[in-house]
Each structure stands twice: as structure tokens, then as C-alpha cells.
Amino acid sequence: MGSRGTEYGVVHLIVEKSSRLQDYLIEKKQLTTSVIEKLLWLGSIYLNESRVSDKNFQINAGDRLRVHTEPRRFSFDSSLGGRVEKDAAGYLIIDKPSGLPVHALTDNMRENVIELLSQELGIQLFVTHRIDIETSGLLLLAKTKEEQARINSLIRAGKVQRFYHAWVSQEIKPGRYNHYMIRSPKAPKSVSLEPGVDRDICVMNVKSCERVLNFNVNGIDFNAPAFKVGIELETGRTQQIRAQLSELGCPIINDVAYGGVAVDGSVRAISLRAFALELDGSRVELTKF
């Protein structure tokens, strides 16, 4: 088992004899009923690679169980509905807070923007693009599967423009930067200048870079000189901006995973914000950081 599995308490079990799921986990892992119920609610228990939700489910010899005994947890005390920046006929644009996933994770399917906001608004929402847990800012969500397909098509065609602000410790020259990201399900991501059959192109356009002092992003005060970088994202690879800026020697402040200077104990808030988004000829822009 790798370190990532160990970190999240992932346990793999092969069932020896028929039993109720709850009874088996109490006997084998000494889990309490309340813990088992919480893990089932979060979607942290898998039977033969499918989530299971019933503690009384009958399991049989040879079945495979995967239990995330220490699932990642996320909280957001305010209304996500109050963070909607645009409510169009087919989609919403929301100012996502840092520290909250966009969609369900392997070990937690409940505490994410899609689930929480869908429940709050009473409609099913669908992912069109993603921003990292640690990143805040504008997120585009579709209200129907048809609208999701339309928006995804626009994104692939480069007709949805996304703009970010990143705060870094080192100055970077404006310009268009190309890298190639090595395909891997793991993070942090690795990029280089060399193309390859196992790599995807990453393009970001640095539009501006200005020196700033004593700024606040995502509720964190940064009391040191820094540079505020304006970026247009031309491709949408996972953690692309973070990886490219790190490779260029300008890691994002508080983005410890990519070599950024740590200024806060929480790794769930980095100084990266999706501040503007253009779709269907209109622009939504945030003014508060």
C-alpha cells in the first residue's frame, strides 16, 4: 500500500465468510456502529469496487472491501447559494470558496460544491470544469446534461475564457508559456519543456505582473512583498497553473505542494483565484479577493 492510502486510512479486505457488513467491520476492524454509519453516509466504503450504503448488506466469501477509515472532511458554514454570481437559464456561475472540492471524491461524496449547492437550490447541477480544492473563484456549473454537453463543447473549442490572479514570491515576465504535463493520476503534477507521447500540452498567458504589499486572499493575510500575476488559462489541465508557475521558479504563495512559501497552517487555501470568466459574449468578474 502506498503512502497516500496509508495517509487516508485505506484498508483492503477479502471477506472470508458470509456476514452482515456491519458485523464484519466491527469484528475485523473494531469500528463502532456510529463510525460505520458515518463512513457509509460519506461513501467511504466500497464492496467489489462499488460504493455501498447499507450497514446490513449481506457480504459473502471472496467479496472485496475497501474502507477509507480516515476520509478527508470539508466544511463550509455559509450558504453557497449566496455566492452565485450569475444565474442564467442553463447554468450558474458561483464564487467557489477555497477548501471545498467541486465534486465527489473517492472517500467523500457529500462535502462538495455540486452536492451541497444542488441540495440547497433543489436542482441537480453538473460539472463543466474544475478548480482545485485549494483554489477559490469562479466556477461554471450546468443545470442540465444538455447544457453540460454544450458548455463542454465550447470549452474544448476555446470559447470559454478563464482568467486567474496568482500571488507569487518572484517576478515573472508577461508572455505565453508552454509546458508539457506528464500524465499521472497523482499530484503534485510534473511539467517540462519537452513534449512526449505520455504528456499533454499546457498553455497559460501571463498578462501582467505587479508588485504588491500586505494583501489578503481567501481570508489569509499575506504581510510580505509579493507579485500579483494576471493569467489567462488557454488549456485546462489539472493543477496546471500551479505546476507551470512552480516550474518557472515562481511557485504560488502558500502552495507548499509546489514549493510555495508557507504563510498559513492550512494547505487548503493558496493564493490563487479564478477572478473572471467569459461565456456566450458576457463576462463575469470578481472584485473582492
Side-chain angles (χ1 to χ4, degrees), residues 26-257:
I26 290 173
E27 177 186 353
K28 289 294 181 180
K29 300 308 299 181
Q30 292 76 53
L31 299 178
T32 66
T33 298
S34 61
V35 167
I36 293 169
E37 290 175 345
K38 177 62 71 174
L39 294 178
L40 288 169
W41 179 79
L42 287 169
S44 303
I45 300 178
Y46 290 76
L47 176 65
N48 299 325
E49 300 305 320
S50 296
R51 278 190 166 106
V52 61
S53 59
D54 182 2
K55 65 182 180 182
N56 294 313
F57 194 90
Q58 185 73 21
I59 58 176
N60 301 303
D63 283 344
R64 296 177 179 271
L65 282 172
R66 185 173 86 241
V67 184
H68 298 256
T69 62
E70 299 173 20
R72 291 163 288 182
R73 301 301 306 272
F74 307 92
S75 63
F76 184 68
D77 298 331
S78 302
S79 163
L80 285 174
R83 299 177 71 93
V84 172
E85 295 289 327
K86 182 172 183 177
D87 187 350
Y91 62 85
L92 294 174
I93 298 177
I94 181 175
D95 179 7
K96 185 189 90 70
S98 61
L100 193 63
V102 171
H103 52 77
L105 303 180
T106 304
D107 53 350
N108 186 334
M109 68 178 186
R110 300 288 183 180
E111 297 165 339
N112 59 78
V113 172
I114 290 290
E115 178 72 12
L116 296 174
L117 190 56
S118 292
Q119 288 186 4
E120 184 176 340
L121 300 181
I123 59 173
Q124 180 61 55
L125 297 169
F126 301 91
V127 174
T128 63
H129 70 110
R130 299 165 178 81
I131 55 179
D132 296 338
I133 294 171
E134 303 88 347
T135 305
S136 68
L138 295 178
L139 177 69
L140 178 59
L141 305 173
K143 294 181 180 180
T144 65
K145 293 289 287 184
E146 293 75 17
E147 183 69 357
Q148 180 189 41
R150 183 184 79 88
I151 292 172
N152 285 343
S153 177
L154 292 176
I155 291 173
R156 287 192 297 270
K159 295 181 179 180
V160 177
Q161 284 73 50
R162 290 161 289 171
F163 303 88
Y164 289 76
H165 280 140
W167 287 259
V168 301
S169 300
Q170 302 294 324
E171 185 175 10
I172 183 172
K173 292 182 178 180
R176 194 168 181 266
Y177 292 89
N178 294 358
H179 289 90
Y180 296 88
M181 180 178 288
I182 300 171
R183 296 189 197 115
S184 170
K186 298 180 180 180
K189 303 295 185 178
S190 295
V191 297
S192 75
L193 296 174
E194 298 299 323
V197 294
D198 62 339
R199 302 179 184 190
D200 295 313
I201 190 168
C202 300
V203 184
M204 69 173 183
N205 191 352
V206 174
K207 312 285 282 188
S208 62
C209 181
E210 60 178 303
R211 190 172 178 84
V212 294
L213 296 169
N214 303 323
F215 60 100
N216 180 290
V217 182
N218 300 331
I220 301 174
D221 288 315
F222 297 87
N223 298 311
F227 294 90
K228 179 182 176 182
V229 182
I231 296 169
E232 179 180 2
L233 190 63
E234 296 190 21
T235 57
R237 312 300 179 194
T238 300
Q239 299 186 5
Q240 173 186 329
I241 293 175
R242 300 166 65 182
Q244 284 193 272
L245 287 176
S246 178
E247 181 68 16
L248 291 166
C250 305
I252 295 168
I253 292 173
N254 214 45
D255 192 3
V256 178

